[in-house]
Amino acid sequence: AATQALLSKHETLEAALESFSPRLVTLAQTAEDLAPNVSVLQRQRTLDARFQQLLQSAAARKEELKQTQDSYQLIEDRFLEFAQKASQFNSWMENAEEDLTDPVRVTSLDEIRALQDQHEEFLKALDGAKDRFRNLVELDKMIKAQTSVRNPYTWYSIEALHDTWKNLKEVIQDREDDLDKELQRQNDNDQLRQVFANLANEFNAWLAATRLALNDSGDSMEAQLDATKQLYEEILRKKVALRAIEDIGAQMEAALILDNKFTEHSTVSLAQQWDQLEQLVVRMQNSLEQQIQAKNMTGVSQDQLKEFNETFRHFDKDHTNKLDHQEFKSCLRSLGYNLPVIDQGQPDPDFDKILDQVDPTRQGFVTLGSFLTFMITRETENVESSSEVINAFRAAAGDKPFITMAELQKALTADQAEFCARHMKPYIDPNGVEVEGGYDYTSYTQSLFQS
């Protein structure tokens, strides 16, 4: 602005000088007219020379002022250029730092590899940023070579930008360290997933094979019982394998591993299946023992019991050892029971009487044990003398004249054992002493047949 003011003043001076030019011409003509007067001519020439010198000085001054103005304009342009580029570069560094300090949160190898790929792309673009920073350094040097005045268009200095650039390099290194650590963690997690999957898949295959083995009946109930006991021992031994799976699962939970692409099985589902299998085998053992006891007490043949089992399994499509009421009705019809066809929603008194025996609480299903007890009871309804029933109780009691609750439960179903215990009188020995926990099955059977 000051230089421009000087130029304006200089233009005024030039205008004034230009206005004197015609006068000098007039003076020169007058001097020529007075040529014989040497003094006049000498003074005119001196004046003309001084005026020409003044014109030259004015021209030189103007050129100097223009150069000074151009110099200040160059500084001004470089100030503006530095301010614009510095602002853009600083914004880029702030955005880059924000991205680089974003926490690394991934749950798989694919995700961490994607982040690493993004970082590699950033590093490739970093070369361009280095060039821009070098340009700013060179521009700052040129400005400082011309002036020591502070840039009025920005508060960013090359020193501040250098500190931010240095900090960005440290942030980049920290980011690379974090990505490397997370890659190692995800590799470790994947190894845990694979170890768990191998153990879980193997355990599940064993569960499936064991369930199939349970459906493979032997030649006799005794053989089935022996096979079931062996399977039960194997199931108990497999608890060790389940604990190993649970330990790996606990490690996965501690590592916040919530998914596993290598298997569909979980610790909870496998443990539930193991529990169900263990309970199923226990029920089958009890059922087989009861069937064997019933066969020995009632005289029901092995072939009959086998037929009952096979028929039940035929209608037990989902292998739960349970039949719903409709399946149970179909099962009875296949065994020769004449049950009328009743429209849905209509009363069925004949079938309801049977359900009162096999599903008295109307849970909606009939278990294998209840079914076999019902069939055996029907097969033994033709017993004609109380002595046969007494002999059956005596066999269950181990030839003792009384029977205990444990022996009743072993020979009968839980409901039947409970019923007998409620209706049998305590046993009194020949000396008139009551046997603790003993029930008099003889008087009970005789009272039944008398009624």
Side-chain angles (χ1 to χ4, degrees), residues 53 77 101 165 170 184 203 393 404 429 445:
Q53 184 180 3
D77 292 341
T101 54
W165 178 253
E170 295 175 356
Q184 182 60 49
F203 193 82
F393 275 118
T404 64
D429 69 11
T445 304

Side-chain angles (χ1 to χ4, degrees), residues 27-199:
L27 285 173
Q29 289 176 353
T30 303
E32 287 293 334
D33 293 338
L34 299 174
N37 190 332
V38 177
S39 175
V40 173
L41 285 172
Q42 185 64 38
R43 290 182 65 186
Q44 188 275 331
R45 289 174 183 156
T46 300
L47 181 62
D48 186 64
R50 290 180 65 187
F51 187 76
Q52 292 300 323
Q53 184 180 3
L54 182 59
L55 288 175
Q56 291 174 2
S57 296
R61 174 66 173 171
K62 184 177 183 179
E63 183 63 27
E64 182 182 354
L65 287 173
K66 284 185 175 181
Q67 289 179 358
T68 301
Q69 186 183 43
D70 291 343
S71 176
Y72 281 132
Q73 185 62 49
L74 180 60
I75 293 173
E76 187 82 0
D77 292 341
R78 286 175 175 169
F79 274 155
L80 288 170
E81 182 183 0
F82 183 89
Q84 182 182 15
K85 291 182 177 180
S87 177
Q88 292 173 351
F89 189 72
N90 187 76
S91 296
W92 175 85
M93 287 194 295
E94 287 180 350
N95 291 333
E97 184 174 353
E98 183 178 353
D99 292 339
L100 291 169
T101 54
D102 191 36
V104 179
R105 294 191 180 96
V106 298
T107 58
S108 69
L109 274 174
D110 291 339
E111 291 178 2
I112 186 61
R113 285 168 180 161
L115 286 181
Q116 286 187 317
D117 290 342
Q118 293 175 11
H119 189 70
E120 289 299 322
E121 292 298 321
F122 170 79
L123 293 179
K124 291 177 182 178
L126 197 60
D127 291 336
K130 292 178 181 177
D131 292 337
R132 293 197 299 275
F133 184 66
R134 281 193 290 267
N135 291 338
L136 281 169
V137 172
E138 292 300 320
L139 184 57
D140 182 72
K141 287 180 180 178
M142 288 189 288
I143 292 173
K144 288 179 177 177
Q146 290 180 284
T147 182
S148 61
V149 176
R150 185 181 179 279
N151 193 330
Y153 300 110
T154 182
W155 54 81
Y156 298 120
S157 66
I158 197 66
E159 292 77 19
L161 292 174
H162 183 273
D163 291 341
T164 306
W165 178 253
K166 181 180 178 181
N167 180 68
L168 182 63
K169 290 181 178 179
E170 295 175 356
V171 171
I172 291 173
Q173 185 60 52
D174 292 341
R175 180 68 169 186
E176 291 175 352
D177 293 341
D178 290 343
L179 290 174
D180 290 341
K181 289 178 182 178
E182 186 60 28
L183 177 63
Q184 182 60 49
R185 191 176 80 88
Q186 290 302 327
N187 275 321
D188 294 341
N189 287 353
D190 243 28
Q191 290 179 2
L192 268 179
R193 288 186 179 98
Q194 291 175 355
V195 170
F196 179 89
N198 291 338
L199 293 175

Side-chain angles (χ1 to χ4, degrees), residues 287-392:
S287 176
L288 286 168
E289 288 171 349
Q290 291 175 6
Q291 291 177 54
I292 292 171
Q293 185 70 31
K295 181 188 70 172
N296 295 335
M297 291 174 61
T298 63
V300 175
S301 68
Q302 172 71 29
D303 290 339
Q304 286 178 300
L305 287 173
K306 185 176 181 180
E307 180 186 3
F308 297 156
N309 273 284
E310 289 177 350
T311 304
F312 185 93
R313 289 198 175 97
H314 173 75
F315 289 94
D316 182 18
K317 303 297 184 182
D318 51 1
H319 307 293
T320 59
N321 275 347
K322 298 176 183 177
L323 299 179
D324 62 33
H325 290 174
Q326 191 58 44
E327 291 171 338
F328 176 57
K329 182 181 287 188
S330 299
C331 182
L332 291 178
R333 284 175 176 153
S334 71
L335 290 170
Y337 278 76
N338 185 20
L339 296 173
V341 177
I342 304 296
D343 292 336
Q344 187 174 3
Q346 296 299 314
D348 191 353
D350 292 340
F351 186 61
D352 287 340
K353 288 180 181 179
I354 297 176
L355 288 179
D356 289 339
Q357 301 177 57
V358 295
D359 186 18
T361 59
R362 293 302 191 271
Q363 294 180 344
F365 58 83
V366 178
T367 64
L368 176 61
S370 297
F371 170 75
L372 291 174
T373 300
F374 171 77
M375 296 305 298
I376 291 171
T377 301
R378 287 302 177 95
E379 290 297 319
T380 56
E381 282 181 348
N382 294 326
V383 176
E384 295 180 353
S385 66
S386 62
S387 60
E388 291 182 25
V389 178
I390 292 173
N391 289 336

